[in-house]
Amino acid sequence: RGDEGEGPFDKYSDSEEIIEQCSSISRQQIVELVASLRSQHVGDRENTELALLLARLYQALFPLVPNLVLSVRGKQKEKDSCSLAEVSFLVEKEAEDMFNVWISSKLSQFSTSLFSLTSTAGSFLTSLPAWDKVTISETGDSGQEINSIISIPPSPSLPLITSLLSLASTIHRSHPSSFPQSLLSPTSINIFQMILSHYASLSSQALTQNFALQLLFDLHFTQTLLVSRDTKEQFSTTLSTLLSSLETNIDPFDLSVFSPHLHSRVKKAAARCVSGLGCLVPADRVAIISSYKISTTQDSHNILCVEPQPCPRFQLLPLSTASLAKVSAKAALSPTHLQLPAVDAKKTAAGNKSPVHRAAASFFGSMPWFGTNS
């Protein structure tokens, strides 16, 4: 019939309008979904893990729903689709915001844990680690050599390293390799700023020499781990001022004696902790810290003793003459079958006369079970 093509719409000529309308509705629904989730859950500070779940949802939205990409894109090519680029930017930005909400909550917990490091006398036992004892030699006025024993902090203070390891473990459990590239670097900067802020408040108080020396170690340790090449200039002035303020609590002569031993132990501590704190350490610092050489000697309290020499190879047992004859008589183990090099008869004869060979031959020959045919 002639009116077969008539109807409410022509499916052949109106398809572009339908696809465009589907694209518009899809974009609108995605925008409303993002706004609705933000208004309902972003203010929930008690359940910060939900923010991480929403960030994962936004990350996986387009990869796991390819038909949604087709609906948003419409008739446009993927590279030329402004609609898809706009919606993708919105979803990626929202995912990054959700990651920042989650990281901010973890940094708040880190700051609370770090505040347990105080200058009160009662906190020394819970803050300071066991110190290394180092023997130094000095020449007295009379020319005699005088040996003295000094104590040097070998590791960061307990609240600092505990807070850092706890934060790093939390981030590791959340698979940090899937985080946006622009997220972890600001996290390291924020951590170092919190440490500087807290240590600045401690430096303004009256400190004992030992506690000031431990704080000095902590600052050098965190600077080695967290300050990258790009952020070095940002913290140079503040860090120098803070270090000078702490050094005023240490005797200048003692500081000159302690400094070489202190810096060497800072490098050792950083090399030990770089793996556990890997997600917080900038990429350019990982390669540098990993190149630090750690002494193979055993520390008394914080490193396991590992045998430096491997187990030597066992010496080969000499075979008796009878055993050699029986082995050579078997076709499967013949030199021709195994393609072994020919044995010099003179060398073999000389070897048969060696004391070791004769002793082995007499030992294996005295055993009735050795070399018998089954």
Side-chain angles (χ1 to χ4, degrees):
R1 299 180 339 191
D3 56 349
E4 290 182 354
E6 297 180 0
F9 58 86
D10 189 343
K11 63 180 179 179
Y12 296 107
S13 61
D14 296 339
S15 58
E16 293 184 1
E17 296 180 4
I18 296 175
I19 293 175
E20 183 63 27
Q21 186 68 17
C22 181
S23 175
S24 176
I25 294 174
S26 299
R27 293 198 307 271
Q28 181 181 357
Q29 291 300 317
I30 292 175
V31 172
E32 291 179 359
L33 173 66
V34 170
S36 175
L37 291 176
R38 170 175 282 274
S39 62
Q40 294 179 19
H41 303 295
V42 169
D44 189 3
R45 299 297 179 182
E46 297 180 357
N47 189 10
T48 57
E49 297 301 323
L50 184 59
L52 182 62
L53 180 62
L54 290 177
R56 301 288 191 204
L57 171 65
Y58 294 135
Q59 275 188 329
L61 184 61
F62 287 141
L64 295 184
V65 191
N67 288 332
L68 182 60
V69 177
L70 296 177
S71 298
V72 174
R73 190 179 64 190
K75 294 280 293 181
Q76 299 175 341
K77 295 182 179 179
E78 186 173 359
K79 295 182 179 180
D80 301 331
S81 177
C82 298
S83 302
L84 181 61
E86 179 183 351
V87 175
S88 298
F89 177 78
L90 173 64
V91 172
E92 291 175 2
K93 184 65 170 59
E94 192 67 18
E96 187 174 348
D97 291 344
M98 293 295 103
F99 277 121
N100 283 323
V101 169
W102 182 80
I103 285 288
S104 299
S105 66
K106 302 308 174 184
L107 289 178
S108 177
Q109 297 175 9
F110 168 80
S111 178
T112 304
S113 177
L114 185 63
F115 285 162
S116 62
L117 177 62
T118 61
S119 60
T120 59
S123 68
F124 285 172
L125 292 178
T126 59
S127 300
L128 301 184
W131 285 21
D132 287 346
K133 296 186 179 298
V134 180
T135 303
I136 60 174
S137 299
E138 299 174 331
T139 303
D141 297 336
S142 60
Q144 296 180 349
E145 186 175 349
I146 303 174
N147 293 329
S148 303
I149 298 178
I150 61 175
S151 297
I152 303 293
S155 58
S157 60
L158 298 182
L160 174 63
I161 191 61
T162 302
S163 302
L164 287 173
L165 288 175
S166 177
L167 176 61
S169 299
T170 303
I171 296 178
H172 273 303
R173 288 195 297 268
S174 302
H175 195 49
S177 60
S178 64
F179 287 8
Q181 294 292 334
S182 59
L183 184 63
L184 292 180
S185 180
T187 301
S188 301
I189 296 175
N190 292 333
I191 292 172
F192 194 62
Q193 287 176 340
M194 290 180 180
I195 294 173
L196 289 180
S197 176
H198 182 58
Y199 278 53
S201 64
L202 292 176
S203 65
S204 62
Q205 306 171 14
L207 304 176
T208 62
Q209 176 168 306
N210 287 347
F211 194 71
L213 192 62
Q214 180 65 60
L215 297 183
L216 202 64
F217 183 99
D218 292 351
L219 285 179
H220 286 298
F221 173 78
T222 52
Q223 179 190 12
T224 302
L225 281 174
L226 302 179
V227 179
S228 64
R229 187 187 305 108
D230 299 332
T231 59
K232 185 177 181 180
E233 295 296 330
Q234 178 182 350
F235 297 109
S236 59
T237 303
T238 305
L239 185 60
S240 300
T241 304
L242 186 53
L243 291 175
S244 300
S245 177
L246 291 174
E247 289 173 355
T248 57
N249 297 278
I250 305 174
D251 183 81
F253 175 77
D254 292 343
L255 182 61
S256 64
V257 176
F258 292 158
S259 292
H261 303 283
L262 187 73
H263 290 296
S264 63
R265 280 162 173 75
V266 166
K267 290 185 177 181
K268 290 172 64 175
R272 291 193 192 106
C273 297
V274 67
S275 297
L277 304 176
C279 61
L280 305 178
V281 181
D284 61 330
R285 297 301 302 169
V286 173
I288 297 175
I289 297 172
S290 301
S291 65
Y292 292 159
K293 294 182 180 179
I294 304 179
S295 174
T296 56
T297 58
Q298 179 187 8
D299 287 345
S300 58
H301 60 280
N302 57 5
I303 189 171
L304 293 176
C305 180
V306 180
E307 177 60 39
Q309 298 295 333
C311 180
R313 289 174 58 87
F314 290 104
Q315 298 295 328
L316 298 178
L317 288 175
L319 298 178
S320 63
T321 307
S323 298
L324 289 174
K326 291 181 179 181
V327 170
S328 61
K330 295 180 180 180
L333 300 178
S334 62
T336 304
H337 179 75
L338 297 177
Q339 299 180 356
L340 298 175
V343 180
D344 193 348
K346 295 181 179 180
K347 293 182 179 180
T348 304
N352 293 340
K353 297 179 181 180
S354 64
V356 177
H357 194 281
R358 291 197 300 271
S362 61
F363 171 78
F364 289 114
S366 62
M367 299 298 176
W369 47 266
F370 188 83
T372 58
N373 293 328
S374 57

